[in-house]
Amino acid sequence: MRRLGLIGFSGSGKSSLLAFALKSGFKTVDTDSLIEKRDPEAFKLLENGMEDEFRALETSVISDALKSDFDFAAFGGGIHFVHPAWKEIYESSLKLVYLRSSFGNLAGRFDERPLCRKLGMKDYEMLFRSRCPLYEKAAAFVVDTDGRGLNEIWSEVFEIWNSLFQ
Ligand code: S3P
């Protein structure tokens, strides 16, 4: 199967790049949107300290999404090497692209994110630091995003697609 998944911390541009993919005629799936559709209150679980429940829902949504027909997927920032959905993602034919950003570059884009609200900025940055190696371990490709516009980043992602599938 020819398909790519976008991973990376909140604000790294996964959903925006998915819009580029859609505009280019690809079939797309955004797992955060699917979670919200399944349970509009789901993201509140994170703010209320019920992360395990959220991850279970996320895992179930991802499992269904992986069975659907798409070319590009965008995953939530929690998807990396130690997420409960990882095994299923790994065993699917999906290749992952990590959108790598520095925390400074992302700052200002995630004040409203539920985990940021729950943890506070200092611990949220610690979470970011702990996740970076896990994204790298999970991904087949890394695309740096600092100081680059979405057009340029999309071009690199599209090149990866072409190198794999054309
Ligand atoms: C999360 C990131 C969010 C969303 C949920 C959990 C995380 O996705 O899945 O709030 O664990 O960092 P975005 O990366 O799209 O913000």
Side-chain angles (χ1 to χ4, degrees), residues 1-6 16-30 69-74 154-166:
M1 248 182 279
R2 299 145 49 108
R3 46 197 203 172
L4 281 183
L6 303 173
S16 307
L17 289 170
L18 207 64
F20 275 76
L22 188 65
K23 248 170 77 186
S24 304
F26 290 106
K27 283 176 238 153
T28 63
V29 66
D30 182 331
D69 181 22
F70 68 88
D71 306 307
F72 277 87
W154 168 246
S155 295
E156 188 172 341
V157 171
F158 188 52
E159 255 174 48
I160 292 171
W161 172 277
N162 284 331
S163 72
L164 286 171
F165 304 129
Q166 290 295 36

Side-chain angles (χ1 to χ4, degrees), residues 7-15 30-33 35 42-44 46-47 51 54-55 58 74-80 83 109-110 112-116 119 124 127 131 135:
I7 61 168
F9 206 69
S10 283
S12 58
K14 295 163 295 197
S15 299
D30 182 331
T31 61
D32 275 352
S33 303
I35 290 169
F43 294 100
K44 288 210 179 116
L46 291 169
E47 276 183 73
E51 183 165 350
F54 177 81
R55 298 300 172 200
E58 188 176 39
F75 293 100
I79 298 306
H80 50 60
H83 189 281
R109 298 192 198 162
F110 40 51
E112 291 306 308
R113 299 298 209 280
L115 261 186
C116 184
L119 296 174
Y124 198 53
L127 179 72
R131 279 180 177 176
Y135 294 131

Side-chain angles (χ1 to χ4, degrees), residues 132-157:
C132 288
L134 302 176
Y135 294 131
E136 293 210 10
K137 230 173 159 172
F141 300 92
V142 178
V143 171
D144 283 307
T145 66
D146 282 6
R148 303 174 78 193
L150 279 170
N151 270 311
E152 192 184 338
I153 299 167
W154 168 246
S155 295
E156 188 172 341
V157 171

